[in-house]
Amino acid sequence: MRTIRDLAVLRTRVRDWREAGESVAVVPTMGALHEGHLSLVAAAKAACDRVIVTLFVNPKQFNNPQDLARYPRTEATDAALLQPLGIDVLFAPEASAVYPEGFLTKVTVAHLQDVLCGAHRPGHFDGVATVVTKLLLMTGADIAFFGEKDWQQLQIIRRLVEDLNIPVDVVGCPTLREKDGLAMSSRNQRLSKADRARAPALHAAMAEAAVVIRAAGDVAAALSAARGAILKAGFAEVEYLELRHSATLEPLDRAAPEARLFAAAWIGGVRLIDNIALF
Ligand code: AMP
């Protein structure tokens, strides 16, 4: 595995692979890698001859400067975790190389970015869409792997790839969870021991609401009970907890085959998100 920071070096390497007829996968990450990220790497490795993992803490997707400053940066540990997995390149560019002076372009995916996380994090999905577009074009990968943990992000990426005719297949991979149900996340590292013990309540309450809604129970009542349970468990705030269509992200008021529950909630100054399918 070679760590590359320079785009020209990356492009030469990818060109050589292509000339040898090899397929290329990319797994974009912001580092602080955990088993969830590594499951994407394993899927990429199984699908393509060559695998690039990108590591870039994208300043444009942080609407809160404190959140950006506190985001864990653990490149040496990340590289050590990736080393045994047989990937080819860790692409870790500097921010000044991704956004050089004079950078003015923004990729906006309308509508899909206005709801859920987008409604609470102004500019976040523009930042995500812009950097993912760049990473797909920089790597020239055939297949890109993303986690369902960030479901809204995955829908936005599928849309931009189609709309901009980027020649890449987007693959979504299931959310990896800790044994107690908490979705793995780089942000979990920032939880105190006590909050880490409380955090699984988010997924538990969502799973319980899903059972009620699946059985044709009242959606508003189920969501309200789940909110209550999350707050009672020690979360400071439930930012949103909603039932929506998995592809269009339109709100739903009853169970449907495409229905998904989405939530974001704050605990100990850390914002956690989760989503689960209803069926
Ligand atoms: P991040 O570094 O948080 O931007 O995540 C990089 C990629 O890993 C994204 O496609 C995420 O959706 C994915 N990912 C993050 N957490 C998980 C998880 N628990 N299970 C599966 N994929 C995940």
Side-chain angles (χ1 to χ4, degrees):
M1 181 184 88
R2 181 163 164 207
T3 298
I4 295 180
R5 300 191 197 280
D6 186 70
L7 177 57
V9 176
L10 177 71
R11 286 217 158 117
T12 305
R13 184 141 292 213
V14 173
R15 195 198 53 214
D16 291 348
W17 294 339
R18 292 229 167 280
E19 280 175 8
E22 294 175 317
S23 58
V24 182
V26 65
V27 181
T29 81
M30 295 205 299
L33 302 182
H34 50 66
E35 291 292 327
H37 297 112
L38 302 186
S39 72
L40 305 191
V41 175
K45 186 81 189 130
C48 287
D49 301 312
R50 300 290 183 173
V51 176
I52 304 167
V53 173
T54 71
L55 193 175
F56 181 61
V57 181
N58 175 31
K60 286 202 189 292
Q61 71 188 70
F62 286 82
N63 54 309
N64 176 343
Q66 275 182 356
D67 194 23
L68 171 62
R70 283 196 306 234
Y71 202 84
R73 287 165 175 83
T74 56
E75 184 180 322
T77 321
D78 293 341
L81 278 172
L82 292 170
Q83 192 69 50
L85 302 185
I87 70 156
D88 298 278
V89 166
L90 178 62
F91 180 54
E94 300 292 343
S96 57
V98 178
Y99 302 118
E101 227 181 283
F103 187 90
L104 287 175
T105 301
K106 183 157 78 180
V107 179
T108 297
V109 179
H111 302 308
L112 289 179
Q113 64 148 24
D114 295 337
V115 299
L116 300 171
C117 288
H120 297 272
R121 301 184 69 188
H124 168 67
F125 284 120
D126 282 354
V128 170
T130 303
V131 83
V132 169
T133 302
K134 283 180 67 85
L135 291 170
L136 295 177
L137 296 174
M138 287 193 275
T139 58
D142 302 292
I143 314 187
F145 293 80
F146 297 90
E148 292 182 349
K149 153 93 181 350
D150 299 281
W151 187 273
Q152 184 176 15
Q153 167 176 292
L154 178 59
Q155 304 318 305
I156 286 172
I157 291 165
R158 287 191 191 287
R159 190 72 250 164
L160 77 84
V161 161
E162 178 140 356
D163 289 354
L164 299 178
N165 307 105
I166 301 177
V168 66
D169 287 334
V170 174
V171 173
C173 301
T175 302
L176 253 72
R177 298 180 180 280
E178 304 289 355
K179 282 198 186 70
D180 57 15
L182 177 66
M184 290 182 184
S185 165
S186 307
R187 290 194 157 86
N188 296 350
Q189 290 183 18
R190 282 173 35 208
L191 294 170
S192 69
K193 206 165 168 227
D195 287 336
R196 171 63 190 82
R198 296 176 183 121
L202 178 62
H203 175 251
M206 292 171 76
E208 207 156 302
V211 170
V212 175
I213 297 168
R214 254 197 311 267
D218 183 77
V219 172
L223 295 182
S224 163
R227 266 179 183 271
I230 293 163
L231 293 173
K232 194 162 167 234
F235 278 75
E237 183 196 341
V238 178
E239 205 171 81
Y240 63 76
L241 174 58
E242 298 176 22
L243 185 72
R244 288 184 178 258
H245 188 283
S246 58
T248 66
L249 304 184
E250 292 294 329
L252 294 173
D253 60 5
R254 70 195 66 178
E258 295 283 340
R260 241 181 141 83
L261 272 173
F262 296 89
W266 288 86
I267 183 164
V270 179
R271 183 177 182 276
L272 300 180
I273 60 170
D274 206 343
N275 70 89
I276 56 171
L278 210 57
F279 293 102

